[in-house]
Amino acid sequence: MTNQIDRFFSALSDPTRRAVVEQLIDGPAAVSALHDGHAMALPTFMKHLKVMEDSGLVTSTKKGRVRTYQMRQDALRAGADWLNAHRTMWEARMDRLSRLADHMERTRS
Amino acid sequence: MTNQIDRFFSALSDPTRRAVVEQLIDGPAAVSALHDGHAMALPTFMKHLKVMEDSGLVTSTKKGRVRTYQMRQDALRAGADWLNAHRTMWEARMDRLSRLADHMERTRS
DNA sequence: CTATAAGTTAGCTATTTAGCTAAGTGTCTT
DNA sequence: AAGACACTTAGCTAAATAGCTAACTTATAG
């Protein structure tokens, strides 16, 4: 039942996974390079990578014994769009409210 | 250990909770008004509201027997900022790469 | 050809999450 | 004062998540 945007936000709700995004923005990297510096067992870390891949954030390809992860094109688009759209609606509403307050201020008996 | 941004993304990873955000953008609403149309028991629904309040997305106040929820000022800001910043970095990198590819194209023997 | 390196798979535990029902607490309304 | 209304609390279950170790597979290096 959980759809893509659920998985997207869920993937970003963990600091380990956000760190991976930040690292991958600088370019593709192998599992062990990504794992470096994370104080957790490799299989645990690999579960995070799987979550990220399932969420559409990243893709991976294997060559020889090394698997390389990379950001996916437009990975951050859908979530950013959702947030920007809703933030815009919210700010528009705040605007209307403050204009209304202004008006009531100016026209008070 | 889970920090505010974890909770923020986690709160938005559920469709029920995103629907509540959308409803609250139109203005504050009482628990039962928010609950309307969601096919789940009220206590279950209230847990979602608690998650949202803990995440900093919304606040609530109680007057008489009615509790009213409202969007919090700048609720969507932190998450939108994170995403926009990272998307920008990513797109800048893509730009550099495509300029590089161009250059190699033009200077090939 | 053996050893090491890079992942992977399997299987376990603890915690969190999402759902439920039943019963309780105040606050209106009549 | 009684009943209805709007939550709230308590306590349960099932499934998902995050972590671990141990053992396995497949490349590459020597």
Side-chain angles (χ1 to χ4, degrees):
Chain A
M1 256 313 115
T2 71
N3 61 40
Q4 210 61 17
I5 189 134
D6 288 16
R7 275 198 266 264
F8 172 87
F9 283 124
S10 185
L12 292 181
S13 73
D14 181 285
T16 298
R17 295 190 293 249
R18 288 195 306 278
V20 170
V21 167
E22 294 179 354
Q23 189 167 350
L24 288 182
I25 280 176
D26 294 337
V31 170
S32 40
L34 291 167
H35 178 225
D36 244 45
H38 293 277
M40 71 181 60
L42 181 60
T44 304
F45 185 75
M46 284 182 35
K47 275 199 202 166
H48 285 295
L49 295 178
K50 180 167 188 344
V51 167
M52 296 181 76
E53 192 155 16
D54 290 348
S55 79
L57 232 36
V58 304
T59 54
S60 72
T61 52
K62 193 165 183 175
K63 188 173 224 171
R65 57 184 170 175
V66 96
R67 180 177 294 278
T68 300
Y69 278 86
Q70 54 218 274
M71 280 308 274
R72 195 162 151 178
Q73 196 61 27
D74 287 343
L76 304 177
R77 190 63 138 294
D81 283 357
W82 193 94
L83 275 176
N84 292 329
H86 288 82
R87 191 157 62 105
T88 300
M89 286 190 278
W90 169 249
E91 283 164 5
R93 173 163 196 273
M94 288 297 96
D95 251 38
R96 287 195 302 278
L97 280 184
S98 84
R99 263 200 303 279
L100 178 61
D102 259 30
H103 181 262
M104 283 165 59
E105 179 76 11
R106 272 183 280 101
T107 62
R108 78 175 186 279
S109 48
Chain B
M1 256 314 113
T2 71
N3 62 41
Q4 210 59 18
I5 190 135
D6 288 15
R7 275 197 265 267
F8 172 87
F9 282 124
S10 185
L12 292 182
S13 73
D14 182 286
T16 298
R17 295 191 293 250
R18 287 196 307 278
V20 169
V21 167
E22 292 179 356
Q23 190 167 349
L24 288 182
I25 280 176
D26 294 337
V31 170
S32 40
L34 291 167
H35 179 224
D36 245 45
H38 292 278
M40 70 182 62
L42 182 58
T44 303
F45 185 75
M46 286 184 33
K47 275 200 203 166
H48 285 295
L49 295 179
K50 180 168 188 342
V51 167
M52 296 180 77
E53 192 155 17
D54 290 348
S55 79
L57 232 37
V58 305
T59 54
S60 73
T61 53
K62 193 165 184 174
K63 188 174 225 171
R65 58 186 168 171
V66 166
R67 181 176 293 278
T68 300
Y69 277 87
Q70 54 218 276
M71 280 308 275
R72 195 162 151 179
Q73 196 60 26
D74 287 343
L76 304 178
R77 190 63 137 292
D81 283 356
W82 192 93
L83 275 176
N84 291 329
H86 287 83
R87 191 158 62 105
T88 300
M89 286 191 278
W90 170 249
E91 283 165 5
R93 173 163 196 274
M94 288 297 96
D95 251 37
R96 286 196 301 280
L97 280 184
S98 84
R99 262 200 303 280
L100 178 60
D102 259 30
H103 182 264
M104 282 165 61
E105 179 76 11
R106 272 183 280 99
T107 62
R108 77 176 188 279
S109 49

